[in-house]
């Protein structure tokens, strides 16, 4: 999620073994979202369901001034990590005096009967399932659920506040929590469904069982057991692995791999007479399409190279690393580069240094730019020996060692030792340490690169 949180920042725990055949109990489920950054210059709800959440808050609270203070607290980033579980959301909120309060907002869970109605309604229309998988909550899904007697969105009075400041109505702390949750709801309506009693995994499991039962031509039961076995005869046929192995040379050969195109495809132009949808930037989309085509071409070339199947799978990039890669590969317009800088948690000048590091050595060089750590004594001793052997005793450069960074006594060049066992040259430019060349196993060679004015 691009708003300062991601799916790997929460845990969604569901253990179907806790269910019994007679009275399924609510599973342990909790998602904890890291504290979001300040939200200056933007609203708290962009989706219609996020706005509906805030309407329930604003129509319920008796004191509008408390809501304004809470909105300001949320906008200033005073809401800590948000914990979401069935029937309750929780966070610690700080006021302007640095006092911290635990704030909770309660929302009634749906009964098992109502969840059965909702799930039966959802499987009737493929569009509802597709919307949930895309993290959307279209109006017709909510309307169809309401027609089935299931109110997903809160109404006036449904958000019940509790706070250690002991206010009896919504206080600034519970209001700030609600405004922050609206930002979470914009990106993921499963947050609301979890508050209503179903986490993502359990909900999708129950939908899948209902879909399977319908595909097999059976009538769904009133309560679906998500641990029930999928019908064995689903019309899917395969070949046992033992038979394939025994067939040996009798099998036809695999088809020839595809040929590599001469170059990546050209992305279509999105500059049309039709105005784009709000929030959609055609120029940025064209850049992403061009980048995707270039990456696909490069990946195909690597896949067709000899021995590719024996190579280890490369590690995936973090969003911050990928923002730097995109800035390095796509050479974007300045205003797009500024957005990529924000995506990599850097200032524009910092992004320029990161791009140079990436161009010299990819993710490993980028890590060297950002990390300070203490190498083992044997590696440092070996580097000192290499440096001593490269110069006469009187000509050896003076270096001050601090963790993995060795800086010349005049403060103009620097060596950085990476976790990959290589040395990276750096040079000070405009008061900032900047990558000055590719890495080298020999610190003396890297130091020579750092001192070259044409590097």
């Amino acid at each position: 999620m691009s708003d300062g949180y991601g799916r790997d920042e929460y845990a969604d725990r569901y253990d179907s073994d806790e269910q019994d055949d007679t009275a399924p109990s609510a599973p342990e489920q909790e998602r904890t979202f890291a504290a979001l950054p300040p939200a200056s210059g933007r609203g708290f709800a962009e989706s219609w369901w996020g706005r509906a959440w805030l309407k329930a808050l604003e129509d319920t609270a008796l004191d509008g001034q408390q809501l304004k203070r809470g909105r300001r607290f949320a906008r200033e980033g005073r809401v800590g990590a948000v914990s979401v579980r069935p029937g309750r959301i929780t966070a610690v909120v700080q006021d302007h005096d640095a006092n911290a309060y635990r704030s909770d907002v309660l929302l009634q869970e749906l009964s098992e009967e109502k969840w059965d109605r909702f799930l039966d309604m959802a499987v009737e229309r493929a569009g509802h399932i597709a919307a949930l998988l895309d993290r959307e909550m279209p109006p017709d899904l909510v309307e169809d659920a309401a027609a089935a007697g299931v109110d997903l969105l809160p109404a006036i009075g449904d958000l019940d506040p509790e706070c250690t400041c002991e206010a009896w109505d919504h206080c600034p702390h519970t209001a700030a929590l609600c405004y922050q949750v609206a930002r979470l709801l914009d990106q993921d309506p499963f947050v609301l469904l979890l508050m209503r009693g179903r986490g993502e995994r359990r909900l999708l499991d129950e939908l899948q069982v209902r879909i399977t039962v319908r595909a097999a031509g059976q009538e769904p039961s009133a309560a679906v057991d998500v641990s029930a076995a999928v019908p064995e005869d689903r019309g899917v046929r395969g070949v046992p692995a033992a038979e394939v192995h025994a067939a040996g040379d009798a099998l036809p050969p695999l088809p020839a791999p595809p040929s590599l195109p001469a170059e990546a495809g050209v992305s279509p132009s999105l500059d049309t007479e039709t105005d784009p949808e709000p929030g959609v930037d055609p120029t940025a989309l064209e850049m992403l399409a061009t980048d995707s085509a270039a990456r696909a071409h490069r990946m195909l070339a690597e896949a067709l190279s000899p021995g590719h199947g024996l190579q280890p799978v490369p590690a995936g990039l973090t969003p911050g690393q990928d923002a730097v890669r995109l800035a390095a590969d796509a050479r974007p317009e300045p205003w797009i580069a500024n957005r990529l800088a924000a995506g990599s948690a850097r200032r524009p000048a910092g992004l320029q240094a990161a791009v140079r590091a990436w161009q010299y050595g990819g993710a490993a060089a980028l890590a060297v730019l950002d990390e300070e750590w203490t190498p083992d004594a044997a590696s440092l001793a070996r580097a000192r020996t290499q440096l001593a052997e490269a110069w006469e005793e009187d000509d050896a450069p003076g270096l001050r060692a601090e963790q993995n960074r060795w800086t010349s006594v005049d403060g103009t060049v620097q060596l950085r030792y990476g976790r990959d066992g290589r040395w990276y040259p750096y040079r000070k430019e405009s008061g900032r340490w900047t990558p000055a060349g590719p890495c080298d196993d020999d610190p003396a060679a890297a130091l020579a690169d750092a001192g070259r004015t044409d590097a």
Side-chain angles (χ1 to χ4, degrees):
M1 303 181 183
S2 60
D3 229 341
Y5 52 90
R7 300 208 41 192
D8 54 351
E9 294 176 318
Y10 64 78
D12 185 359
R13 298 185 295 277
Y14 167 55
D15 186 356
S16 60
D17 293 339
E18 295 180 5
Q19 309 290 318
D20 59 46
D21 294 333
T22 56
S25 60
E28 267 191 20
Q29 301 169 98
E30 184 172 353
R31 293 170 64 175
T32 301
F33 295 86
L36 302 183
S40 57
R42 59 157 298 189
F44 284 94
E46 298 177 351
S47 63
W48 76 269
W49 59 88
R51 291 192 293 271
W53 166 269
L54 290 184
K55 179 174 174 55
L57 166 70
E58 293 166 352
D59 289 348
T60 298
L62 300 178
D63 189 342
Q65 291 301 316
Q66 300 286 55
L67 291 187
K68 290 182 179 179
R69 290 180 61 197
R71 187 164 56 245
R72 186 164 62 249
F73 285 174
R75 192 175 295 282
E76 293 171 353
R78 295 181 176 275
V79 181
V82 178
S83 173
V84 183
R85 54 194 182 278
R88 183 182 295 266
I89 55 176
T90 305
V92 173
V93 181
Q94 281 195 337
D95 62 16
H96 288 136
D97 295 328
N99 297 317
Y101 299 91
R102 169 179 165 144
S103 299
D104 296 74
V105 175
L106 281 61
L107 178 64
Q108 182 67 44
E109 296 182 53
L110 298 178
S111 66
E112 293 293 327
E113 178 188 359
K114 288 188 175 181
W115 274 115
D116 285 333
R117 289 188 211 162
F118 173 78
L119 293 166
D120 287 338
M121 175 277 302
V123 297
E124 291 289 343
R125 293 181 57 182
H128 289 340
I129 298 174
L132 289 172
L133 293 176
D134 286 340
R135 286 182 154 64
E136 295 286 337
M137 191 180 289
D140 57 343
L141 185 151
V142 176
E143 292 167 1
D144 288 348
V150 181
D151 293 321
L152 295 178
L153 291 167
I156 298 175
D158 284 354
L159 301 179
D160 189 15
E162 291 182 357
C163 186
T164 55
C165 76
E166 299 184 355
W168 62 274
D169 187 29
H170 274 288
C171 62
H173 315 108
T174 58
L177 172 58
C178 287
Y179 279 109
Q180 204 76 314
V181 167
R183 295 174 67 183
L184 306 182
L185 290 172
D186 274 349
Q187 299 298 325
D188 191 352
F190 280 106
V191 173
L192 175 63
L193 298 179
L194 175 55
M195 279 188 271
R196 286 297 200 184
R198 283 292 190 277
E200 176 180 352
R201 189 193 309 180
R202 182 178 180 187
L203 180 65
L204 296 180
D205 283 349
E206 292 181 345
L207 282 172
Q208 180 60 49
V209 171
R210 278 173 163 78
I211 294 169
T212 301
V213 169
R214 289 177 181 273
Q218 303 176 16
E219 289 297 323
S221 60
V224 178
D225 180 6
V226 298
S227 62
V230 176
E232 293 183 2
D233 186 2
R234 294 176 294 176
V236 179
R237 296 292 182 268
V239 179
E243 293 183 14
V244 176
H245 183 72
D249 296 337
L251 295 175
L254 293 174
S259 59
L260 180 68
E263 58 186 12
V266 178
S267 62
S269 173
L270 300 180
D271 184 12
T272 65
E273 296 180 356
T274 303
D275 292 335
E277 293 292 325
V280 175
D281 191 307
T283 304
L285 281 179
E286 286 183 11
M287 186 194 73
L288 290 174
T290 300
D291 175 70
S292 297
R295 291 177 63 196
H297 186 267
R298 183 168 60 250
M299 292 169 68
L300 179 58
E302 293 171 353
L304 296 176
S305 63
H308 173 73
L310 303 177
Q311 299 299 317
V313 178
L317 301 180
T318 66
Q321 290 172 331
D322 199 47
V324 174
R325 179 205 62 80
L326 191 58
D329 292 349
R331 302 179 183 276
E333 296 291 334
W335 62 271
I336 297 180
N338 289 339
R339 292 175 61 181
L340 292 173
S344 64
R346 304 174 192 273
R347 295 183 180 277
L351 179 63
Q352 293 176 13
V355 164
R356 188 180 295 187
W358 184 273
Q359 291 169 338
Y360 281 133
L366 189 59
V368 171
L369 173 71
D370 296 331
E371 295 180 356
E372 290 188 55
W373 58 286
T374 303
D376 61 275
S379 297
L380 298 180
R382 183 168 58 252
R384 290 189 180 94
T385 299
Q386 291 174 295
L387 288 168
E389 292 175 348
W391 283 277
E392 297 293 339
E393 184 174 351
D394 295 337
D395 296 332
L399 296 173
R400 298 190 307 269
E402 185 175 353
Q403 294 186 296
N404 66 319
R405 300 181 179 186
W406 291 14
T407 308
S408 64
V409 292
D410 62 0
T412 59
V413 295
Q414 186 180 83
L415 291 178
R416 296 189 181 185
Y417 187 60
R419 296 184 186 273
D420 57 357
R422 299 187 175 194
W423 292 90
Y424 291 75
Y426 274 70
R427 182 170 53 251
K428 182 162 284 190
E429 297 179 358
S430 302
R432 178 187 294 272
W433 286 113
T434 305
C439 62
D440 202 298
D441 293 330
D442 184 355
L447 187 59
D449 282 343
R452 288 173 51 198
T453 59
D454 60 340

